Short mmCIF file of all heavy atoms in Angstrom, two decimals:
data_model
loop_
_atom_site.label_atom_id
_atom_site.label_comp_id
_atom_site.label_asym_id
_atom_site.label_seq_id
_atom_site.Cartn_x
_atom_site.Cartn_y
_atom_site.Cartn_z
N LEU A 393 -1.33 -4.50 -9.48
CA LEU A 393 -0.33 -3.61 -8.85
C LEU A 393 -0.43 -3.61 -7.32
O LEU A 393 0.59 -3.71 -6.63
CB LEU A 393 -0.54 -2.15 -9.38
CG LEU A 393 -0.15 -1.94 -10.87
CD1 LEU A 393 -0.75 -0.60 -11.36
CD2 LEU A 393 1.32 -2.00 -11.06
N MET A 394 -1.67 -3.56 -6.81
CA MET A 394 -1.80 -3.59 -5.34
C MET A 394 -1.35 -4.96 -4.79
O MET A 394 -0.72 -5.00 -3.73
CB MET A 394 -3.27 -3.34 -4.97
CG MET A 394 -3.67 -1.91 -5.05
SD MET A 394 -2.73 -0.77 -3.99
CE MET A 394 -3.20 -1.28 -2.39
N ASP A 395 -1.60 -6.00 -5.52
CA ASP A 395 -1.15 -7.32 -5.04
C ASP A 395 0.35 -7.37 -4.87
O ASP A 395 0.87 -7.89 -3.84
CB ASP A 395 -1.62 -8.42 -5.97
CG ASP A 395 -3.06 -8.82 -5.89
OD1 ASP A 395 -3.77 -8.31 -4.94
OD2 ASP A 395 -3.58 -9.48 -6.79
N ILE A 396 1.11 -6.84 -5.84
CA ILE A 396 2.52 -6.94 -5.77
C ILE A 396 3.08 -6.07 -4.62
O ILE A 396 3.97 -6.43 -3.90
CB ILE A 396 3.26 -6.60 -7.12
CG1 ILE A 396 4.72 -6.95 -7.13
CG2 ILE A 396 3.14 -5.12 -7.44
CD1 ILE A 396 4.99 -8.38 -7.27
N ALA A 397 2.48 -4.91 -4.42
CA ALA A 397 2.92 -3.97 -3.37
C ALA A 397 2.62 -4.56 -2.00
O ALA A 397 3.43 -4.52 -1.08
CB ALA A 397 2.34 -2.63 -3.51
N ILE A 398 1.41 -5.10 -1.81
CA ILE A 398 1.04 -5.69 -0.49
C ILE A 398 1.84 -6.93 -0.23
O ILE A 398 2.32 -7.13 0.88
CB ILE A 398 -0.45 -5.93 -0.46
CG1 ILE A 398 -1.25 -4.59 -0.42
CG2 ILE A 398 -0.84 -6.75 0.83
CD1 ILE A 398 -2.70 -4.67 -0.58
N ASN A 399 2.07 -7.75 -1.21
CA ASN A 399 2.93 -8.98 -1.00
C ASN A 399 4.33 -8.53 -0.62
O ASN A 399 4.97 -9.21 0.24
CB ASN A 399 2.90 -9.87 -2.24
CG ASN A 399 1.63 -10.59 -2.45
OD1 ASN A 399 0.85 -10.78 -1.48
ND2 ASN A 399 1.29 -10.98 -3.64
N TYR A 400 4.88 -7.54 -1.26
CA TYR A 400 6.18 -7.06 -0.93
C TYR A 400 6.23 -6.55 0.54
O TYR A 400 7.13 -6.85 1.30
CB TYR A 400 6.57 -5.91 -1.86
CG TYR A 400 7.91 -5.22 -1.49
CD1 TYR A 400 9.10 -5.68 -2.04
CD2 TYR A 400 7.89 -4.10 -0.77
CE1 TYR A 400 10.26 -5.07 -1.75
CE2 TYR A 400 9.15 -3.43 -0.48
CZ TYR A 400 10.30 -3.93 -0.95
OH TYR A 400 11.49 -3.31 -0.61
N ALA A 401 5.16 -5.79 0.95
CA ALA A 401 5.10 -5.30 2.25
C ALA A 401 5.08 -6.45 3.33
O ALA A 401 5.73 -6.41 4.37
CB ALA A 401 3.90 -4.46 2.44
N ARG A 402 4.33 -7.46 3.02
CA ARG A 402 4.29 -8.61 3.89
C ARG A 402 5.67 -9.36 3.95
O ARG A 402 6.18 -9.70 5.02
CB ARG A 402 3.22 -9.64 3.42
CG ARG A 402 1.86 -9.15 3.83
CD ARG A 402 0.85 -10.30 3.58
NE ARG A 402 -0.42 -9.88 4.10
CZ ARG A 402 -1.45 -9.49 3.31
NH1 ARG A 402 -1.33 -9.56 2.01
NH2 ARG A 402 -2.59 -9.08 3.84
N GLN A 403 6.25 -9.51 2.79
CA GLN A 403 7.56 -10.15 2.76
C GLN A 403 8.66 -9.33 3.49
O GLN A 403 9.48 -9.94 4.20
CB GLN A 403 8.02 -10.21 1.24
CG GLN A 403 9.38 -10.72 1.00
CD GLN A 403 9.77 -10.56 -0.49
OE1 GLN A 403 8.96 -10.72 -1.41
NE2 GLN A 403 11.06 -10.23 -0.75
N GLU A 404 8.57 -8.04 3.44
CA GLU A 404 9.51 -7.20 4.15
C GLU A 404 9.13 -6.99 5.59
O GLU A 404 9.84 -6.23 6.31
CB GLU A 404 9.65 -5.81 3.44
CG GLU A 404 10.26 -5.95 2.01
CD GLU A 404 11.67 -6.52 2.02
OE1 GLU A 404 12.50 -6.05 2.81
OE2 GLU A 404 11.93 -7.43 1.22
N LYS A 405 8.01 -7.56 6.01
CA LYS A 405 7.54 -7.52 7.37
C LYS A 405 7.19 -6.10 7.93
O LYS A 405 7.45 -5.78 9.05
CB LYS A 405 8.54 -8.21 8.33
CG LYS A 405 8.80 -9.69 7.87
CD LYS A 405 9.27 -10.55 8.94
CE LYS A 405 9.58 -11.95 8.61
NZ LYS A 405 8.93 -12.65 7.54
N PHE A 406 6.58 -5.34 7.02
CA PHE A 406 6.08 -4.03 7.49
C PHE A 406 4.91 -4.30 8.39
O PHE A 406 4.10 -5.29 8.16
CB PHE A 406 5.67 -3.17 6.29
CG PHE A 406 6.79 -2.60 5.53
CD1 PHE A 406 7.14 -3.04 4.26
CD2 PHE A 406 7.57 -1.55 6.07
CE1 PHE A 406 8.22 -2.54 3.61
CE2 PHE A 406 8.69 -1.02 5.36
CZ PHE A 406 8.96 -1.53 4.14
N ASN A 407 4.76 -3.49 9.41
CA ASN A 407 3.56 -3.58 10.28
C ASN A 407 2.36 -2.91 9.75
O ASN A 407 1.25 -3.37 9.93
CB ASN A 407 3.94 -2.95 11.69
CG ASN A 407 4.96 -3.77 12.39
OD1 ASN A 407 4.98 -4.98 12.37
ND2 ASN A 407 5.92 -3.04 13.01
N LYS A 408 2.55 -1.78 9.10
CA LYS A 408 1.44 -1.03 8.51
C LYS A 408 1.90 -0.46 7.19
O LYS A 408 3.07 -0.13 6.95
CB LYS A 408 0.96 0.12 9.41
CG LYS A 408 0.34 -0.30 10.71
CD LYS A 408 -0.14 0.87 11.53
CE LYS A 408 -0.79 0.31 12.79
NZ LYS A 408 -1.36 1.46 13.60
N VAL A 409 0.89 -0.30 6.28
CA VAL A 409 1.15 0.35 4.99
C VAL A 409 0.12 1.52 4.87
O VAL A 409 -1.11 1.30 5.12
CB VAL A 409 0.93 -0.63 3.82
CG1 VAL A 409 1.18 0.13 2.49
CG2 VAL A 409 1.88 -1.79 3.96
N PHE A 410 0.61 2.70 4.62
CA PHE A 410 -0.24 3.84 4.44
C PHE A 410 -0.39 4.22 3.00
O PHE A 410 0.46 3.89 2.15
CB PHE A 410 0.36 5.05 5.25
CG PHE A 410 0.36 4.82 6.75
CD1 PHE A 410 1.34 4.13 7.37
CD2 PHE A 410 -0.66 5.43 7.49
CE1 PHE A 410 1.34 3.91 8.77
CE2 PHE A 410 -0.74 5.22 8.85
CZ PHE A 410 0.30 4.49 9.54
N ALA A 411 -1.39 5.05 2.75
CA ALA A 411 -1.59 5.64 1.42
C ALA A 411 -2.42 6.87 1.56
O ALA A 411 -3.22 7.01 2.44
CB ALA A 411 -2.32 4.62 0.47
N ASP A 412 -2.18 7.83 0.64
CA ASP A 412 -2.96 9.01 0.59
C ASP A 412 -3.50 9.22 -0.76
O ASP A 412 -3.00 8.72 -1.74
CB ASP A 412 -2.22 10.23 1.11
CG ASP A 412 -1.03 10.66 0.19
OD1 ASP A 412 -1.11 10.44 -1.04
OD2 ASP A 412 -0.07 11.22 0.77
N THR A 413 -4.61 10.02 -0.84
CA THR A 413 -5.23 10.30 -2.15
C THR A 413 -6.07 11.58 -1.96
O THR A 413 -6.12 12.24 -0.94
CB THR A 413 -6.05 9.09 -2.64
OG1 THR A 413 -6.42 9.33 -4.02
CG2 THR A 413 -7.36 8.84 -1.86
N ARG A 414 -6.76 11.85 -3.08
CA ARG A 414 -7.63 13.06 -3.07
C ARG A 414 -9.07 12.64 -3.07
O ARG A 414 -9.40 11.52 -3.53
CB ARG A 414 -7.28 13.90 -4.32
CG ARG A 414 -5.91 14.43 -4.37
CD ARG A 414 -5.54 14.98 -5.70
NE ARG A 414 -6.51 15.88 -6.26
CZ ARG A 414 -6.42 17.24 -6.14
NH1 ARG A 414 -5.37 17.80 -5.59
NH2 ARG A 414 -7.39 17.99 -6.71
N LEU A 415 -9.94 13.55 -2.71
CA LEU A 415 -11.37 13.24 -2.67
C LEU A 415 -11.96 12.87 -4.07
O LEU A 415 -12.82 12.05 -4.13
CB LEU A 415 -12.18 14.47 -2.10
CG LEU A 415 -11.99 14.73 -0.60
CD1 LEU A 415 -12.52 16.04 -0.23
CD2 LEU A 415 -12.55 13.64 0.22
N ASP A 416 -11.39 13.54 -5.08
CA ASP A 416 -11.91 13.23 -6.46
C ASP A 416 -11.33 12.02 -7.05
O ASP A 416 -11.71 11.62 -8.18
CB ASP A 416 -11.66 14.50 -7.36
CG ASP A 416 -10.19 14.81 -7.58
OD1 ASP A 416 -9.33 14.24 -6.78
OD2 ASP A 416 -9.89 15.64 -8.42
N ARG A 417 -10.49 11.26 -6.43
CA ARG A 417 -9.87 10.05 -6.94
C ARG A 417 -10.64 8.80 -6.49
O ARG A 417 -10.20 8.06 -5.66
CB ARG A 417 -8.41 9.92 -6.49
CG ARG A 417 -7.58 11.21 -6.79
CD ARG A 417 -7.66 11.63 -8.22
NE ARG A 417 -7.05 10.74 -9.10
CZ ARG A 417 -5.77 10.80 -9.42
NH1 ARG A 417 -5.01 11.76 -8.99
NH2 ARG A 417 -5.21 9.84 -10.20
N LYS A 418 -11.89 8.71 -6.92
CA LYS A 418 -12.80 7.67 -6.49
C LYS A 418 -12.27 6.27 -6.81
O LYS A 418 -12.43 5.34 -5.96
CB LYS A 418 -14.20 7.83 -7.11
CG LYS A 418 -14.84 9.18 -6.83
CD LYS A 418 -15.17 9.35 -5.37
CE LYS A 418 -15.88 10.68 -5.12
NZ LYS A 418 -15.90 11.00 -3.73
#
């Protein structure tokens, strides 16, 4: 899943990709 999302971000020429999560989501 991460591979497809990051490849899409590169293809679309995004400069940065952000993500948020919770402390308990190890």
Side-chain angles (χ1 to χ4, degrees):
L393 291 165
M394 284 301 293
D395 284 350
I396 193 76
I398 291 170
N399 287 338
Y400 175 87
R402 284 193 172 104
Q403 174 189 324
E404 296 298 313
K405 304 202 180 334
F406 285 108
N407 293 317
K408 292 183 180 182
V409 180
F410 291 84
D412 65 30
T413 192
R414 298 168 48 98
L415 290 169
D416 61 349
R417 311 306 291 272
K418 302 295 184 194

